[in-house]
mmCIF file of all heavy atoms in Angstrom:
data_model
loop_
_atom_site.group_PDB
_atom_site.id
_atom_site.type_symbol
_atom_site.label_atom_id
_atom_site.label_comp_id
_atom_site.label_asym_id
_atom_site.label_seq_id
_atom_site.Cartn_x
_atom_site.Cartn_y
_atom_site.Cartn_z
ATOM 1 N N ILE A 356 0.087 -4.247 -2.618
ATOM 2 C CA ILE A 356 0.126 -5.069 -1.430
ATOM 3 C C ILE A 356 1.118 -4.432 -0.493
ATOM 4 O O ILE A 356 0.799 -4.424 0.761
ATOM 5 C CB ILE A 356 0.602 -6.538 -1.749
ATOM 6 C CG1 ILE A 356 -0.494 -7.209 -2.592
ATOM 7 C CG2 ILE A 356 0.870 -7.303 -0.562
ATOM 8 C CD1 ILE A 356 -0.063 -8.636 -3.186
ATOM 9 N N GLY A 357 2.289 -3.976 -0.950
ATOM 10 C CA GLY A 357 3.133 -3.319 0.049
ATOM 11 C C GLY A 357 2.661 -2.056 0.592
ATOM 12 O O GLY A 357 2.950 -1.731 1.704
ATOM 13 N N GLN A 358 1.894 -1.220 -0.247
ATOM 14 C CA GLN A 358 1.334 -0.058 0.244
ATOM 15 C C GLN A 358 0.294 -0.318 1.401
ATOM 16 O O GLN A 358 0.209 0.265 2.395
ATOM 17 C CB GLN A 358 0.603 0.741 -0.733
ATOM 18 C CG GLN A 358 1.502 1.496 -1.708
ATOM 19 C CD GLN A 358 0.615 2.057 -2.906
ATOM 20 O OE1 GLN A 358 0.484 1.501 -3.969
ATOM 21 N NE2 GLN A 358 0.235 3.227 -2.614
ATOM 22 N N THR A 359 -0.453 -1.490 1.184
ATOM 23 C CA THR A 359 -1.507 -1.829 2.187
ATOM 24 C C THR A 359 -0.768 -2.313 3.493
ATOM 25 O O THR A 359 -1.212 -1.994 4.583
ATOM 26 C CB THR A 359 -2.387 -2.960 1.625
ATOM 27 O OG1 THR A 359 -2.996 -2.522 0.481
ATOM 28 C CG2 THR A 359 -3.424 -3.362 2.604
ATOM 29 N N VAL A 360 0.302 -3.054 3.457
ATOM 30 C CA VAL A 360 1.094 -3.476 4.628
ATOM 31 C C VAL A 360 1.540 -2.297 5.323
ATOM 32 O O VAL A 360 1.404 -2.192 6.545
ATOM 33 C CB VAL A 360 2.230 -4.468 4.180
ATOM 34 C CG1 VAL A 360 3.150 -4.667 5.404
ATOM 35 C CG2 VAL A 360 1.661 -5.734 3.637
ATOM 36 N N ALA A 361 2.146 -1.291 4.590
ATOM 37 C CA ALA A 361 2.623 -0.078 5.279
ATOM 38 C C ALA A 361 1.496 0.684 5.862
ATOM 39 O O ALA A 361 1.686 1.331 7.072
ATOM 40 C CB ALA A 361 3.338 0.799 4.161
ATOM 41 N N ALA A 362 0.353 0.824 5.212
ATOM 42 C CA ALA A 362 -0.717 1.426 5.831
ATOM 43 C C ALA A 362 -1.235 0.811 7.074
ATOM 44 O O ALA A 362 -1.536 1.374 8.167
ATOM 45 C CB ALA A 362 -1.963 1.562 4.739
ATOM 46 N N LEU A 363 -1.272 -0.637 7.062
ATOM 47 C CA LEU A 363 -1.718 -1.253 8.227
ATOM 48 C C LEU A 363 -0.784 -1.040 9.430
ATOM 49 O O LEU A 363 -1.035 -1.011 10.627
ATOM 50 C CB LEU A 363 -1.807 -2.754 7.961
ATOM 51 C CG LEU A 363 -2.995 -3.255 7.009
ATOM 52 C CD1 LEU A 363 -3.047 -4.620 6.664
ATOM 53 C CD2 LEU A 363 -4.358 -2.825 7.672
ATOM 54 N N CYS A 364 0.564 -0.966 9.077
ATOM 55 C CA CYS A 364 1.598 -0.686 10.074
ATOM 56 C C CYS A 364 1.395 0.596 10.713
ATOM 57 O O CYS A 364 1.488 0.888 11.849
ATOM 58 C CB CYS A 364 2.982 -0.915 9.549
ATOM 59 S SG CYS A 364 3.371 -2.579 9.292
ATOM 60 N N THR A 365 1.073 1.658 9.916
ATOM 61 C CA THR A 365 0.816 2.964 10.380
ATOM 62 C C THR A 365 -0.415 2.949 11.348
ATOM 63 O O THR A 365 -0.403 3.693 12.335
ATOM 64 C CB THR A 365 0.694 4.002 9.315
ATOM 65 O OG1 THR A 365 -0.314 3.553 8.432
ATOM 66 C CG2 THR A 365 2.123 4.205 8.575
ATOM 67 N N PHE A 366 -1.420 2.316 10.860
ATOM 68 C CA PHE A 366 -2.569 2.131 11.705
ATOM 69 C C PHE A 366 -2.257 1.425 13.072
ATOM 70 O O PHE A 366 -2.737 1.865 14.190
ATOM 71 C CB PHE A 366 -3.710 1.344 11.059
ATOM 72 C CG PHE A 366 -4.960 1.086 11.823
ATOM 73 C CD1 PHE A 366 -5.880 2.163 11.999
ATOM 74 C CD2 PHE A 366 -5.086 -0.156 12.366
ATOM 75 C CE1 PHE A 366 -7.050 1.859 12.874
ATOM 76 C CE2 PHE A 366 -6.309 -0.400 13.194
ATOM 77 C CZ PHE A 366 -7.209 0.685 13.494
ATOM 78 N N ALA A 367 -1.435 0.447 12.958
ATOM 79 C CA ALA A 367 -1.057 -0.304 14.153
ATOM 80 C C ALA A 367 -0.144 0.668 15.116
ATOM 81 O O ALA A 367 -0.299 0.625 16.379
ATOM 82 C CB ALA A 367 -0.161 -1.501 13.919
ATOM 83 N N THR A 368 0.617 1.542 14.493
ATOM 84 C CA THR A 368 1.338 2.623 15.296
ATOM 85 C C THR A 368 0.297 3.417 16.136
ATOM 86 O O THR A 368 0.590 3.806 17.288
ATOM 87 C CB THR A 368 2.177 3.299 14.518
ATOM 88 O OG1 THR A 368 3.173 2.611 13.717
ATOM 89 C CG2 THR A 368 2.984 4.441 15.252
ATOM 90 N N LEU A 369 -0.759 3.848 15.474
ATOM 91 C CA LEU A 369 -1.707 4.583 16.142
ATOM 92 C C LEU A 369 -2.258 3.865 17.436
ATOM 93 O O LEU A 369 -2.473 4.434 18.428
ATOM 94 C CB LEU A 369 -2.939 5.090 15.154
ATOM 95 C CG LEU A 369 -2.566 5.837 13.955
ATOM 96 C CD1 LEU A 369 -3.830 6.076 13.248
ATOM 97 C CD2 LEU A 369 -1.869 7.122 14.266
ATOM 98 N N ILE A 370 -2.710 2.540 17.175
ATOM 99 C CA ILE A 370 -3.066 1.737 18.267
ATOM 100 C C ILE A 370 -1.996 1.649 19.385
ATOM 101 O O ILE A 370 -2.364 1.806 20.576
ATOM 102 C CB ILE A 370 -3.466 0.444 17.763
ATOM 103 C CG1 ILE A 370 -4.664 0.507 16.711
ATOM 104 C CG2 ILE A 370 -4.117 -0.455 19.003
ATOM 105 C CD1 ILE A 370 -5.876 1.225 17.123
ATOM 106 N N LEU A 371 -0.805 1.478 19.052
ATOM 107 C CA LEU A 371 0.211 1.302 20.006
ATOM 108 C C LEU A 371 0.408 2.589 20.797
ATOM 109 O O LEU A 371 0.476 2.488 22.046
ATOM 110 C CB LEU A 371 1.635 1.063 19.194
ATOM 111 C CG LEU A 371 1.724 -0.305 18.634
ATOM 112 C CD1 LEU A 371 3.040 -0.483 17.857
ATOM 113 C CD2 LEU A 371 1.754 -1.498 19.730
ATOM 114 N N ILE A 372 0.337 3.696 20.165
ATOM 115 C CA ILE A 372 0.419 4.972 20.920
ATOM 116 C C ILE A 372 -0.768 5.196 21.797
ATOM 117 O O ILE A 372 -0.602 5.604 22.974
ATOM 118 C CB ILE A 372 0.553 6.166 19.967
ATOM 119 C CG1 ILE A 372 1.914 6.019 19.084
ATOM 120 C CG2 ILE A 372 0.564 7.581 20.616
ATOM 121 C CD1 ILE A 372 1.997 6.993 18.030
ATOM 122 N N TRP A 373 -1.923 4.903 21.350
ATOM 123 C CA TRP A 373 -3.120 5.146 22.070
ATOM 124 C C TRP A 373 -3.156 4.204 23.359
ATOM 125 O O TRP A 373 -3.332 4.630 24.493
ATOM 126 C CB TRP A 373 -4.439 4.846 21.158
ATOM 127 C CG TRP A 373 -5.722 4.738 22.056
ATOM 128 C CD1 TRP A 373 -6.161 5.606 22.920
ATOM 129 C CD2 TRP A 373 -6.587 3.631 21.962
ATOM 130 N NE1 TRP A 373 -7.281 5.206 23.416
ATOM 131 C CE2 TRP A 373 -7.815 4.058 22.930
ATOM 132 C CE3 TRP A 373 -6.748 2.437 21.268
ATOM 133 C CZ2 TRP A 373 -8.744 3.076 23.072
ATOM 134 C CZ3 TRP A 373 -7.883 1.579 21.425
ATOM 135 C CH2 TRP A 373 -8.733 2.012 22.344
ATOM 136 N N THR A 374 -2.928 2.933 23.120
ATOM 137 C CA THR A 374 -2.820 1.993 24.232
ATOM 138 C C THR A 374 -1.705 2.305 25.230
ATOM 139 O O THR A 374 -1.782 2.182 26.418
ATOM 140 C CB THR A 374 -2.858 0.524 23.720
ATOM 141 O OG1 THR A 374 -1.675 0.393 22.835
ATOM 142 C CG2 THR A 374 -4.046 0.138 23.020
ATOM 143 N N GLY A 375 -0.536 2.710 24.622
ATOM 144 C CA GLY A 375 0.539 3.067 25.448
ATOM 145 C C GLY A 375 0.369 4.242 26.370
ATOM 146 O O GLY A 375 0.645 4.190 27.527
ATOM 147 N N PHE A 376 -0.324 5.217 25.865
ATOM 148 C CA PHE A 376 -0.588 6.446 26.587
ATOM 149 C C PHE A 376 -1.660 6.019 27.715
ATOM 150 O O PHE A 376 -1.614 6.503 28.905
ATOM 151 C CB PHE A 376 -1.123 7.595 25.781
ATOM 152 C CG PHE A 376 -0.120 8.434 25.281
ATOM 153 C CD1 PHE A 376 0.830 8.084 24.184
ATOM 154 C CD2 PHE A 376 0.155 9.704 25.931
ATOM 155 C CE1 PHE A 376 1.818 8.937 23.731
ATOM 156 C CE2 PHE A 376 1.263 10.504 25.440
ATOM 157 C CZ PHE A 376 2.002 10.143 24.359
ATOM 158 N N ALA A 377 -2.619 5.161 27.291
ATOM 159 C CA ALA A 377 -3.622 4.712 28.307
ATOM 160 C C ALA A 377 -3.121 3.911 29.292
ATOM 161 O O ALA A 377 -3.508 4.163 30.545
ATOM 162 C CB ALA A 377 -4.748 3.977 27.499
#
Side-chain angles (χ1 to χ4, degrees):
I356 293 176
Q358 287 177 265
T359 301
V360 170
L363 290 174
C364 285
T365 56
F366 177 76
T368 301
L369 299 180
I370 301 297
L371 289 172
I372 295 170
W373 169 49
T374 54
F376 271 77

